[in-house]
Amino acid sequence: MGYCSFTHGSPNRFIPVYQSAISMKEQMAAHKIAHATLKGPSVVKEICIGLTLGLFAGGLWKMHHWNEQRKTRAFYDMLEKGEISVVVAEE
């Protein structure tokens, strides 16, 4: 940015002179930049996220439950066949 003085009036008055019209347009258009506006929560989005997380957690819990049932069933099957005993053997 350069400076230019007026030829009439006070010799100490200076005004800025822009070197190119592009920089002038850039400075003038700077206030027109779109900014993101904050919105409230989306009810449909929240419901979808909640359902997805709930189904995922429920599936994990059900898999854990089935695994525990399988272990219990295997224990009682082995106990019935006589492969294991719950009585401590005497020495």
Side-chain angles (χ1 to χ4, degrees):
M1 177 180 350
Y3 290 92
C4 174
S5 66
F6 289 115
T7 56
H8 63 287
S10 173
N12 295 330
R13 287 181 59 189
F14 291 95
I15 59 168
V17 177
Y18 293 97
Q19 298 299 325
S20 69
I22 295 173
S23 64
M24 179 89 164
K25 286 182 181 178
E26 285 176 0
Q27 288 183 358
M28 291 177 66
H31 69 279
K32 294 182 181 180
I33 295 173
H35 295 284
T37 56
L38 298 176
K39 297 180 182 177
S42 171
V43 176
V44 175
K45 185 178 176 183
E46 293 287 330
I47 290 172
C48 291
I49 291 172
L51 276 172
T52 303
L53 291 175
L55 288 172
F56 181 73
L60 287 177
W61 178 254
K62 196 64 177 172
M63 288 172 56
H64 170 73
H65 181 70
W66 287 334
N67 192 29
E68 290 299 315
Q69 279 185 333
R70 183 184 54 79
K71 287 180 188 177
T72 304
R73 209 174 301 122
F75 171 78
Y76 281 110
D77 286 343
M78 289 172 65
L79 187 63
E80 192 174 293
K81 291 178 185 175
E83 296 176 6
I84 60 170
S85 174
V86 291
V87 178
V88 178
E90 292 183 23
E91 293 181 19

